[in-house]
Amino acid sequence: MGYKTIRAGQKALIFNELGEGRVVKGPRRIWLQRTETFQLLKVHIASQAQYLEVRDKEGRVTNHSGPCQMYLNPLEHDSIVTRDAMRLTADEMLVVYKQEDDKIERRLLYGPAMFVPSAHEWLHEFQWHGVDSKDKTRWIPNDHTFRKLSAIPGQMYYNVRDVRTNDDVVMRVKLMLFYELSEPEVMLNITHDPIADFINAVCSDVIAFASQLSYAEFHKQTSFLSKKETYPQLCQRAKRIGYDITQVVYRGYHASENTQHLQDAAIETRTQRRINTEIEGEKAKLASFKLNKELSRTAKRQEIQTAKSEHRQEVEKRMQSVEIEKEQRRHAAQLLRDAKDREELMKLEAEAKRQELGFLFQLKELGVDLTHYLVNQNPTKISEELQIVKEE
């Protein structure tokens, strides 16, 4: 009994002695009778990224997108819960189911989006193999539960255990798978756990591949484990459930301790041989390099000597040519001098003959017997001079 104050933004529920209640909204100041009870209502608030899930007394559920607020009225509501809206990035999607009457529809909601389910909608919850937190190559059934389905390419590590060759060597093959969801509707209709399908298919392919080879042959042909053609069952199964296997990467293998010890010893031996071969090859290359350099230097020296010899011969040849030219010029000069001397001599002789002939003509004019005179002077020249006189 007394006054009660209801502040602004508050609501209160007042019950009388008959159990009847009424809601009073503030700001207000009320008088309570002795038989009346007073109860402030709890307010529930949802932001822009939230919604209120309201369940009434009849069991009906409604969702109210934020921003909003609602008071929990015990006369009408059974519960009010604030829940976060589902945020989707551009590479995520949701599988949404909706019931209308007796019909249930399914749709895919692609991001980016903010999803608030209606009262008749619910989300598909996936439960796949999950990777072990302590071993990324070990997968645990039904360990990964989620609602957002990734649309971007994914990858997984997996070790295929108990792989046996045809000579009974048991080993563990390490792989890495790259896959991409291409048809979500097909995946939803065909499988409930694609990872399990991948594991089963890749195990079958690897076991089939190794069973046809001996341990030594397997070691030589491990490069084929990085080719998609080696995994026909994996590729077919992935295509059937709406996925594409983009690549398979072989990461190595691990055999038993004894086999691994023998393999390590063989690898060490081969490595040592390869190192020795490389060392010998480097030595041979060095020797060949030295020989080539020595041959090159010898050839250079020969070229230099040849060039010097040719230069010396050329100099000597030029000197001989110069000497020959000098000798030719001297000879030509001597010939010229001899020719000039002969010409002068002939001129002198001709002048002497003309003088002698003039003298003879003078004697002839004086009445001297030239024949008698000439015979007395030089009997050997009589005939010649007589001939000259006659010609004159």
Side-chain angles (χ1 to χ4, degrees):
M1 184 175 177
Y3 285 100
K4 289 291 185 179
T5 301
I6 305 173
R7 298 177 181 178
Q10 292 182 333
K11 287 185 180 182
L13 180 62
I14 300 174
F15 291 96
N16 59 20
E17 69 277 6
L18 299 177
E20 297 174 345
R22 70 182 192 276
V23 177
V24 180
K25 182 178 180 181
R28 189 172 177 184
R29 186 173 178 82
I30 60 173
W31 173 262
L32 293 180
Q33 301 294 331
R34 182 175 299 182
T35 58
E36 291 180 327
T37 58
F38 177 86
Q39 177 184 351
L40 286 176
L41 299 184
K42 183 180 179 181
V43 63
H44 294 267
I45 302 173
S47 66
Q48 294 90 335
Q50 297 175 321
Y51 67 94
L52 296 178
E53 182 183 87
V54 182
R55 185 181 301 273
D56 61 19
K57 291 294 185 180
E58 297 178 356
R60 185 168 49 250
V61 178
T62 57
N63 294 336
H64 301 268
S65 300
C68 64
Q69 67 176 11
M70 184 173 292
Y71 292 91
L72 179 60
N73 186 355
L75 300 177
E76 299 176 356
H77 307 138
D78 182 65
S79 64
I80 298 178
V81 180
T82 302
R83 299 191 183 279
D84 292 330
M86 189 73 70
R87 299 182 181 183
L88 297 179
T89 60
D91 57 354
E92 294 176 330
M93 68 182 76
L94 291 176
V95 181
V96 184
Y97 295 92
K98 184 176 182 179
Q99 181 178 9
E100 290 192 6
D101 299 331
D102 295 334
K103 185 179 180 181
I104 297 178
E105 297 180 352
R106 183 181 67 193
R107 64 185 176 93
L108 293 175
L109 177 63
Y110 294 89
M114 184 82 72
F115 174 70
V116 176
S118 66
H120 302 286
E121 290 181 330
W122 68 95
L123 299 178
H124 187 103
E125 189 171 271
F126 298 94
Q127 196 170 22
W128 293 359
H129 274 62
V131 63
D132 190 351
S133 59
K134 298 180 181 179
D135 184 2
K136 64 180 180 180
T137 63
R138 183 172 178 270
W139 293 80
I140 304 173
N142 302 323
D143 187 64
H144 184 35
T145 302
F146 60 97
R147 291 182 176 179
K148 296 179 183 179
L149 191 62
S150 178
I152 62 175
Q155 63 187 37
M156 59 178 290
Y157 293 90
Y158 189 72
N159 293 347
V160 183
R161 294 172 173 81
D162 299 329
V163 179
R164 186 182 297 272
T165 61
N166 60 12
D167 53 354
D168 291 332
V169 176
V170 180
M171 67 187 73
R172 183 170 69 251
V173 179
K174 305 175 183 180
L175 300 174
M176 186 176 183
L177 309 181
F178 293 85
Y179 55 87
E180 183 176 1
L181 178 60
S182 57
E183 299 179 83
E185 291 284 355
V186 175
M187 185 272 293
L188 294 171
N189 293 332
I190 299 298
T191 183
H192 67 280
D193 189 352
I195 302 299
D197 295 338
F198 294 160
I199 291 174
N200 293 333
V202 76
C203 287
S204 299
D205 287 328
V206 173
I207 291 173
F209 174 80
S211 63
Q212 303 175 6
L213 305 172
S214 65
Y215 179 71
E217 294 172 340
F218 176 85
H219 179 72
K220 294 179 180 179
Q221 300 188 25
T222 52
S223 60
F224 288 95
L225 291 173
S226 291
K227 299 181 178 180
K228 288 176 58 177
E229 295 77 8
T230 309
Y231 307 92
Q233 297 185 60
L234 175 62
C235 295
Q236 293 174 7
R237 182 57 185 173
K239 192 69 176 177
R240 187 182 176 192
I241 63 176
Y243 277 85
D244 290 328
I245 300 297
T246 57
Q247 189 179 3
V248 180
V249 178
Y250 168 69
R251 300 174 47 246
Y253 70 92
H254 182 77
S256 63
E257 293 186 1
N258 292 334
T259 305
Q260 192 65 38
H261 178 71
L262 294 175
Q263 179 66 15
D264 293 340
I267 292 174
E268 185 177 356
T269 302
R270 288 195 299 269
T271 304
Q272 187 63 43
R273 289 177 181 174
R274 185 171 64 252
I275 293 174
N276 293 336
T277 302
E278 292 176 355
I279 292 174
E280 293 298 326
E282 292 297 327
K283 289 182 179 179
K285 288 181 180 179
L286 181 59
S288 177
F289 176 77
K290 290 181 178 179
L291 179 60
N292 291 334
K293 288 298 182 181
E294 184 63 28
L295 292 176
S296 178
R297 286 193 294 269
T298 303
K300 287 290 184 182
R301 285 195 295 267
Q302 291 178 352
E303 290 179 2
I304 292 173
Q305 292 176 358
T306 303
K308 288 181 178 179
S309 177
E310 292 177 352
H311 178 69
R312 185 169 58 254
Q313 292 177 1
E314 184 67 22
V315 171
E316 292 176 355
K317 187 184 295 183
R318 290 185 179 181
M319 293 177 64
Q320 290 176 0
S321 299
V322 171
E323 292 296 329
I324 291 173
E325 289 178 358
K326 288 181 179 180
E327 184 65 27
Q328 289 177 349
R329 285 196 296 270
R330 286 196 298 269
H331 183 66
Q334 184 64 37
L335 291 176
L336 183 60
R337 286 194 298 271
D338 293 344
K340 288 181 179 181
D341 292 342
R342 283 196 300 271
E343 185 178 356
E344 292 293 332
L345 181 59
M346 290 176 65
K347 287 181 179 181
L348 291 175
E349 290 178 352
E351 183 65 25
K353 286 181 180 181
R354 281 194 299 269
Q355 290 179 359
E356 186 176 358
L357 286 175
F359 175 72
L360 291 174
F361 281 129
Q362 289 178 1
L363 292 178
K364 185 178 179 181
E365 291 177 353
L366 294 175
V368 176
D369 187 357
L370 295 176
T371 304
H372 181 73
Y373 173 77
L374 293 172
V375 170
N376 292 327
Q377 293 291 327
N378 192 358
T380 60
K381 295 183 179 179
I382 294 173
S383 60
E384 293 179 2
E385 293 178 352
L386 288 175
Q387 184 66 28
I388 295 172
V389 172
K390 290 178 181 180
E391 290 177 357
E392 294 291 337

